[in-house]
Amino acid sequence: DAMVIQNPRYQVTQFGKPVTLSCSQTLNHNVMYWYQQKSSQAPKLLFHYYDKDFNNEADTPDNFQSRRPNTSFCFLDIRSPGLGDAAMYLCATSGDSLMDEQFFGPGTRLTVL
Amino acid sequence: SQQGEEDPQALSIQEGENATMNCSYKTSINNLQWYRQNSGRGLVHLILIRSNEREKHSGRLRVTLDTSKKSSSLLITASRAADTASYFCATDASGAQKLVFGQGTRLTINP
């Protein structure tokens, strides 16, 4: 089945230790998104790729970076995680428009010690 | 500021009853979408309704859209325990070129 896969499902890191979260998709979608979601809050868009074009949200901290080496894979790098970065990180895709239906992965729960 | 806001924030009903959640938004939209999120999981798309549509159905789900009032409602009929989840509306605020999610309604279905 076509899907969005995130690894790992749970990630524990230490304060200030870089961490990378990964996302892959078999949907062959053009657009890939990274969201941050804290407990009982709405998902907050960090950035998205439209094909190879990277689009950063204005309020996304510099601490967060992303790479999309090919259509299928997208990575979220947190260069120096702080305690406030503990959250669920959701990867999503959509076919050809930022306003289309989005397909979400199961998320990666990040804990910062 | 938040584009979409759900009401109520939390809803608890008995299995078999109908559940209604509302979403209000501030600016004109092209479409409005509803998503479900089970605890600790990703979001699942439920329904997309376009600005020129007034009502859509999908199984036990019914979504209405009133663009004059800038509001939408999601009705789940004959609720089941498996419907327990958070429900989010998402709108594409005109000109924003992205989806913005509301805070969600936490729905609990009691057996």
Side-chain angles (χ1 to χ4, degrees), chain A residues 31 33 45 48 50 55 57 96-100 102, chain B residues 30 91-100:
Chain A
V31 193
Y33 311 80
L45 182 64
H48 75 270
Y50 190 102
N55 297 271
E57 291 299 300
D96 203 39
S97 166
L98 276 68
M99 292 169 281
D100 284 347
Q102 293 187 15
Chain B
N30 296 305
T91 55
D92 62 330
S94 182
Q97 294 293 307
K98 65 179 181 182
L99 284 185
V100 179

Side-chain angles (χ1 to χ4, degrees), chain B residues 55-75:
Chain B
E55 188 170 309
K56 285 190 85 168
H57 295 81
S58 177
R60 294 184 294 112
L61 307 181
R62 181 171 77 99
V63 168
T64 60
L65 179 64
D66 187 335
T67 52
S68 67
K69 295 181 179 178
K70 292 186 171 60
S71 68
S72 173
S73 67
L74 169 65
L75 168 67

Side-chain angles (χ1 to χ4, degrees), chain A residues 9-10 35 37 40-43 45 48 57 88 90 98-107 109, chain B residues 2 30-31 33 35 37 40-45 48 50 88 92 97-99 101-104 106:
Chain A
R9 292 291 317 280
Y10 301 91
Y35 289 88
Q37 187 182 28
S40 300
Q41 294 186 18
L45 182 64
H48 75 270
E57 291 299 300
M88 174 75 88
L90 297 166
L98 276 68
M99 292 169 281
D100 284 347
E101 168 187 357
Q102 293 187 15
F103 296 79
F104 283 80
R109 171 76 63 189
Chain B
Q2 200 68 34
N30 296 305
N31 72 54
Q33 302 181 34
Y35 289 79
Q37 184 178 33
R41 306 288 297 181
L43 282 72
V44 175
H45 183 265
L48 182 153
R50 302 193 187 282
F88 293 90
D92 62 330
Q97 294 293 307
K98 65 179 181 182
L99 284 185
F101 288 83
Q103 294 292 330
R106 291 185 302 280

Side-chain angles (χ1 to χ4, degrees), chain A:
Chain A
D1 288 340
M3 58 193 334
V4 180
I5 302 163
Q6 289 188 246
N7 286 304
R9 292 291 317 280
Y10 301 91
Q11 176 73 58
V12 180
T13 190
Q14 292 181 333
F15 183 94
K17 184 174 181 181
V19 66
T20 294
L21 310 182
S22 71
C23 176
S24 64
Q25 55 129 342
T26 61
L27 298 160
N28 203 32
H29 281 170
N30 280 329
V31 193
M32 294 188 76
Y33 311 80
W34 279 104
Y35 289 88
Q36 179 193 65
Q37 187 182 28
K38 296 188 176 180
S39 182
S40 300
Q41 294 186 18
K44 179 180 180 295
L45 182 64
L46 295 173
F47 25 59
H48 75 270
Y49 275 93
Y50 190 102
D51 195 10
K52 296 178 182 178
D53 293 332
F54 177 71
N55 297 271
N56 201 29
E57 291 299 300
D59 57 355
T60 298
D62 292 341
N63 199 25
F64 292 87
Q65 304 287 321
S66 186
R67 296 168 284 134
R68 189 179 185 185
N70 54 51
T71 300
S72 300
F73 286 86
C74 195
F75 300 97
L76 170 62
D77 301 308
I78 309 177
R79 294 192 297 186
S80 182
L83 298 178
D85 297 327
M88 174 75 88
Y89 289 88
L90 297 166
C91 174
T93 72
S94 64
D96 203 39
S97 166
L98 276 68
M99 292 169 281
D100 284 347
E101 168 187 357
Q102 293 187 15
F103 296 79
F104 283 80
T108 294
R109 171 76 63 189
L110 178 67
T111 300
V112 182
L113 301 177

